[in-house]
Amino acid sequence: MANFQKLPSRAEDYSKWYNELVVKADLAEQSAVRGCMVIKPYGYAIWETIQHELDRRFKEQGVKNAYFPLLIPKSFLSREAEHVEGFAKECAVVTHHRLMNDPNGKGVVVDPNAKLEEELIIRPTSETIIWSTYKNWISSYRDLPILCNQWCNVMRWEMRTRLFLRTAEFLWQEGHTAHATKEEAEAYARRMLDVYADFAENVMAIPVVKGVKSPNERFAGALNTYCIEAMMQDGKALQAGTSHFLGQNFAKSFDVQFLSKENKYEYVWATSWGVSTRLMGALIMTHSDDNGLVLPPHLAPIQIVLVPIFKTEEQLNAILNRMNPILEKLQKAGVRIKVDTTDKYTPGYKFADYELKGVPVRLAMGGRDLENGTIEVARRDTLTKETVSLDGIEEKLLSLLEEIQKNCYTKALNYRIANTRECNSYEEFKEEIKKGGFLLCHWDGTPETEERIKEETKATIRCIPLEALPGYKEEPGVCMVTGKPSPRRVVFAIAY
RNA sequence: CGGGAAGUAGUUCAGCCCGGUGGAAUGCCUGCUUUGGGAGCAGGAGGUCGCAGGUUCGAAUCCUGUCUUCCCGACCA
């Protein structure tokens, strides 16, 4: 009996469970550089599927991909006052462009003669470099709208990092659009929020609350920030995506004007929107269990794995001969399949390993099945298995994958519903928030009240929901702290 | 960036207090037997003890500095 290391349970230590799962499931690991991760092939395969699915949806919205530089002149960042205020404290700065041999010994040192005239910032986000570029692209209303997206890395010098959830460097996409009218820009920011919500729910199987950020939580430089918020299994909230209506702030800072039909100069209206590798963290913390990763089929790099059980090569070949036509049919239907023919590990080892990796469906076939014309089908989401006939197995498996996808979503939604409740007094709130989950409360709309609640309870307003959560009605009331009127309940939670 | 803990074989850890040629388990390699829930036996390879200085005849062990990770704060997606 191998003395393998089990994952810590979620109940024992959620944070430790997460950290170890990321590494043991082969998603990512720490790198030699503080706060920066190595995303391993298995983890990157999931990210590539995320990219692929999102990219397709963006293109349906008329978005085109482009690429802007990693380095941003320092002066650009300071053009928009709130923007620089928001990011200045976490920027990495490039000051020199050359190394030289250390005159006093081994290795290389920065060449003091190679100091840059103007220092360059490693992008924490690209609004400034993009708007300085858009200025050259826009002169007439006929040039609008511009709908660009870039897939890239950004860097924010974080004090405390965790794989996927908060790393100094992370991968993301940032969309930047320019519009002729306020209405069009606002509508576009809203539309991209819907794209994110659709993606989160149908591909990642993560239920989200669509909402608006309170002024305290708004993106630096935006007039309005929309977001999708998800609930993790430990009851904490995680912002899964944001879409900003930037108004004319960046157009004014970078002097981007266009000539309207009426032959008048007007400033351009802007949006930006993004999701990052943080989604990987959301994925893990929404579905996985104490046995390891649970991946919704739409995102799983391997959707079905076949573990043949054999003693001799003849037996293996007999199994493969029986299964190959079935697997080919499934592959033609677009299913991602792996057949594990290695004899390096025993079947029991493979079972445990594919569970750790979150493969949605595991098939096992041995001599017994071959005789009976059956196969063992195991589901990762429910950890159940049954032996079924090979007749019509392809259709059964295809619908099983869809069922698992739905079940992942339903389970997560039920968990969120079970951990969402209304809360009417601040005293009650202080107790309830310790249990985690979403608390729907009335708030007077002032930053002061939100700040006070944050200081006293660590909870923040995750969003002002665009529509009432399922099972709840939108109704006015009074603020739980100050008693002032409140038009609707907002979502409070402790956040990642 | 403050407070705490830790860095020794691929991995998890013992050894450190009290200095004297570095251990275990697991993993890896080879062979045989195994294979329906993390296989067994036998043999083998694998470490300048995070890094840099210092003390000493001699440092994994003592001292100083530094880097990284984890936990708690402050900050933030």
Side-chain angles (χ1 to χ4, degrees):
Chain A
M1 179 71 67
N3 183 16
F4 59 90
Q5 280 143 0
K6 275 198 91 167
L7 218 49
S9 78
R10 289 168 296 169
E12 213 175 296
D13 188 338
Y14 196 80
S15 163
K16 199 171 174 191
W17 167 83
Y18 174 85
N19 290 341
E20 290 201 16
L21 177 53
V22 170
V23 174
K24 288 199 167 122
D26 236 10
L27 300 176
E29 61 188 34
Q30 296 290 348
S31 72
V33 184
R34 181 198 153 84
C36 296
M37 64 181 161
V38 174
I39 305 176
K40 298 185 73 177
Y42 191 63
Y44 201 80
I46 298 173
W47 178 242
E48 282 180 314
T49 309
I50 291 175
Q51 284 184 304
H52 178 79
E53 289 289 332
L54 274 173
D55 207 58
R56 190 166 62 73
R57 286 168 166 79
F58 294 160
K59 283 170 181 157
E60 281 170 10
Q61 300 299 326
V63 174
K64 290 192 163 57
N65 284 330
Y67 187 78
F68 295 86
L70 170 70
L71 299 175
I72 297 175
K74 194 176 73 177
S75 60
F76 280 22
L77 209 68
S78 48
R79 294 255 202 115
E80 213 288 331
E82 282 182 35
H83 189 71
V84 67
E85 165 89 22
F87 288 106
K89 283 171 284 183
E90 46 188 24
C91 287
V93 185
V94 178
T95 57
H96 291 76
H97 64 84
R98 195 190 304 137
L99 298 173
M100 58 186 274
N101 289 325
D102 184 350
N104 302 320
K106 307 166 223 171
V108 288
V109 294
V110 173
D111 185 342
N113 296 321
K115 198 162 170 20
L116 292 175
E117 193 83 352
E118 178 176 6
E119 289 160 344
L120 297 166
I121 312 299
I122 299 177
R123 63 183 163 216
T125 178
S126 303
E127 273 78 4
T128 58
I129 188 87
I130 284 175
W131 281 88
S132 75
T133 308
Y134 279 3
K135 177 179 168 57
N136 303 323
W137 293 2
I138 298 168
S139 51
S140 149
Y141 71 94
R142 293 178 203 275
D143 298 324
L144 296 171
I146 292 178
L147 311 171
C148 275
N149 174 66
Q150 75 169 340
W151 289 96
C152 66
N153 57 344
V154 290
M155 175 157 264
R156 298 179 188 174
W157 208 266
E158 298 291 346
M159 293 291 124
R160 211 171 147 184
T161 60
R162 290 185 77 193
L163 292 174
F164 291 123
L165 293 176
R166 179 169 291 109
T167 45
E169 180 193 15
F170 56 93
L171 305 184
W172 78 346
Q173 57 70 215
E174 46 180 326
H176 297 270
T177 68
H179 306 264
T181 67
K182 181 183 180 197
E183 292 68 32
E184 189 185 306
E186 273 187 321
Y188 206 85
R190 262 304 318 271
R191 195 176 345 152
M192 294 319 292
L193 187 75
D194 290 340
V195 169
Y196 285 151
D198 170 70
F199 166 78
E201 302 201 329
N202 293 313
V203 179
M204 303 194 72
I206 299 176
V208 293
V209 176
K210 288 191 278 188
V212 180
K213 284 293 185 192
S214 67
N216 283 9
E217 302 279 324
R218 200 178 278 156
F219 175 74
L223 296 189
N224 205 356
T225 290
Y226 297 100
C227 62
I228 50 173
E229 291 285 328
M231 187 192 294
M232 304 294 101
Q233 293 164 344
D234 59 353
K236 286 167 93 172
L238 187 134
Q239 178 179 299
T242 51
S243 178
H244 315 290
F245 169 58
L246 300 171
Q248 294 172 309
N249 286 352
F250 286 92
K252 285 178 180 166
S253 301
F254 288 88
D255 190 33
V256 187
Q257 299 189 60
F258 68 98
L259 211 47
S260 71
K261 254 183 201 167
E262 291 75 35
N263 202 33
K264 277 187 202 154
Y265 278 109
E266 289 178 31
Y267 285 109
V268 175
W269 299 86
T271 80
S272 69
W273 26 276
V275 298
S276 71
T277 35
R278 194 178 220 204
L279 284 177
M280 298 285 293
L283 183 72
I284 296 160
M285 289 196 292
T286 299
H287 304 301
S288 302
D289 64 22
D290 290 350
N291 290 350
L293 211 56
V294 175
L295 294 174
H298 291 179
L299 273 184
I302 303 166
Q303 295 171 312
I304 297 178
V305 64
L306 170 65
V307 178
I309 294 155
F310 59 97
K311 294 190 169 113
T312 65
E313 200 153 329
E314 289 74 43
Q315 287 172 318
L316 173 61
N317 287 335
I319 292 166
L320 294 181
N321 286 339
R322 183 71 186 81
M323 285 305 290
N324 274 340
I326 295 170
L327 298 181
E328 273 167 31
K329 256 195 202 171
L330 287 167
Q331 270 163 341
K332 270 186 195 144
V335 181
R336 296 184 284 269
I337 293 177
K338 174 177 174 177
V339 179
D340 189 342
T341 56
T342 178
D343 59 356
K344 186 176 165 185
Y345 298 109
T346 60
Y349 181 96
K350 293 178 184 176
F351 294 169
D353 193 51
Y354 289 116
E355 260 159 39
L356 178 63
K357 301 260 170 71
V359 176
V361 174
R362 184 187 71 236
L363 305 176
M365 180 179 255
R368 252 178 4 231
D369 292 303
L370 210 50
E371 275 178 33
N372 301 336
T374 58
I375 191 163
E376 184 185 274
V377 179
R379 286 175 68 150
R380 179 62 184 90
D381 60 332
T382 57
L383 289 170
T384 54
K385 56 184 180 184
E386 56 178 339
T387 299
V388 301
S389 164
L390 281 172
D391 294 336
I393 188 72
E394 298 92 339
E395 288 71 25
K396 278 185 223 160
L397 289 172
L398 285 173
S399 66
L400 179 61
L401 286 173
E402 285 313 303
E403 192 186 325
I404 293 173
Q405 178 77 25
K406 274 195 201 114
N407 183 48
C408 286
Y409 177 78
T410 308
K411 249 165 107 174
L413 181 61
N414 288 339
Y415 183 85
R416 192 190 80 193
I417 289 170
N419 289 282
T420 301
R421 57 232 184 253
E422 291 186 344
C423 190
N424 295 312
S425 86
Y426 192 36
E427 284 314 304
E428 186 194 352
F429 180 89
K430 284 180 187 166
E431 285 308 307
E432 286 296 312
I433 198 70
K434 291 177 192 161
K435 299 176 195 161
F438 288 176
L439 295 183
L440 306 176
C441 310
H442 283 293
W443 162 63
D444 64 14
T446 66
E448 294 74 28
T449 303
E450 181 179 6
E451 195 55 41
R452 179 179 157 194
I453 294 168
K454 186 179 176 184
E455 272 170 31
E456 294 177 358
T457 67
K458 290 178 185 169
T460 49
I461 296 172
R462 297 324 304 152
C463 69
I464 302 155
L466 292 176
E467 53 203 55
L469 273 66
Y472 296 92
K473 274 189 210 153
E474 191 175 300
E475 52 188 6
V478 293
C479 174
M480 65 172 173
V481 178
T482 62
K484 289 181 193 163
S486 150
R488 65 176 68 78
R489 288 177 188 270
V490 302
V491 177
F492 277 94
I494 311 276
Y496 270 97

